[in-house]
Amino acid sequence: MKKIVTFALCAAMASPSPACDAGADGKTNGNAQTTAVVQIPDPWTDCESLEKAAELTGFDMAAPDAIDGFSSRIIRAMDKDIIEVIYQTENTDEGEIRIRKGVGGEDISGDYNRYAESSTVHVGDLRVTMKGADGQISLAIWTSGGYTYSVGLGGSADGIPSDEMSALVAAVR
């Protein structure tokens, strides 16, 4: 009898429970082989200002208040690591500009595209790597004073002339 009870308990524990098969809405879907959705928490914190971002990271950043052709500016920070300012157009599919500053010397742009053209230029006393295609720059990366910086174009933006990218680089500290 003891073996039968043990077997019955083991079988009951091994069989799926409808309560364990609940979807996001709490209802069961009748499929015992669903996969739980696990999301990584967003590491970014939206900030009202660059000063608030500096409080989170422990360092400050200077970036343009506005960029012609872009209607909104979003500021966010990743605790002790990166400050990011995103400039967006009304239609976010048209493009955006992301400016980042982070601790260290590694590329923090998040842009893993391979570009047809890459060159190193001087913007003031900064040595800046600019990448793009057809004479248009889509990404600028540099280091200064123990920090790494990037200015990147996203969305459907094709790039901007080198002198415009240099002006953006000069405005970031």
Side-chain angles (χ1 to χ4, degrees):
M1 180 72 167
K2 201 176 196 183
K3 288 182 183 180
I4 294 174
V5 170
T6 302
F7 177 77
L9 285 174
C10 288
M13 290 175 53
S15 67
S17 166
C20 294
D21 194 27
D25 59 359
K27 297 178 182 176
T28 58
N29 62 13
N31 181 358
Q33 300 207 356
T34 59
T35 303
V37 176
V38 178
Q39 291 182 327
I40 298 171
D42 186 356
W44 295 100
T45 301
D46 290 339
C47 301
E48 298 171 7
S49 66
L50 286 170
E51 293 77 17
K52 292 288 185 189
E55 289 175 15
L56 288 173
T57 59
F59 58 89
D60 63 349
M61 177 178 164
D65 289 332
I67 296 176
D68 287 343
F70 295 84
S71 57
S72 66
R73 180 172 95 150
I74 300 166
I75 301 168
R76 54 193 208 158
M78 191 181 300
D79 187 41
K80 307 288 187 233
D81 288 324
I82 300 172
I83 296 175
E84 177 178 67
V85 182
I86 306 168
Y87 303 86
Q88 295 179 325
T89 58
E90 287 287 329
N91 178 357
T92 55
D93 292 337
E94 290 176 12
E96 65 183 20
I97 296 176
R98 289 179 183 264
I99 298 176
R100 290 182 172 180
K101 177 181 181 180
V103 176
E106 300 296 319
D107 179 356
I108 59 166
S109 68
D111 184 339
Y112 303 106
N113 293 310
R114 291 181 185 239
Y115 291 99
E117 300 169 13
S118 179
S119 62
T120 301
V121 301
H122 289 278
V123 178
D125 61 346
L126 301 172
R127 217 177 118 104
V128 181
T129 300
M130 293 195 185
K131 299 179 180 185
D134 300 324
Q136 300 292 298
I137 308 299
S138 297
L139 178 64
I141 305 166
W142 71 100
T143 59
S144 178
Y147 295 97
T148 186
Y149 299 81
S150 69
V151 176
L153 277 62
S156 63
D158 290 329
I160 59 177
S162 178
D163 61 332
E164 288 182 31
M165 183 62 85
S166 293
L168 280 172
V169 168
V172 177
R173 290 194 171 50

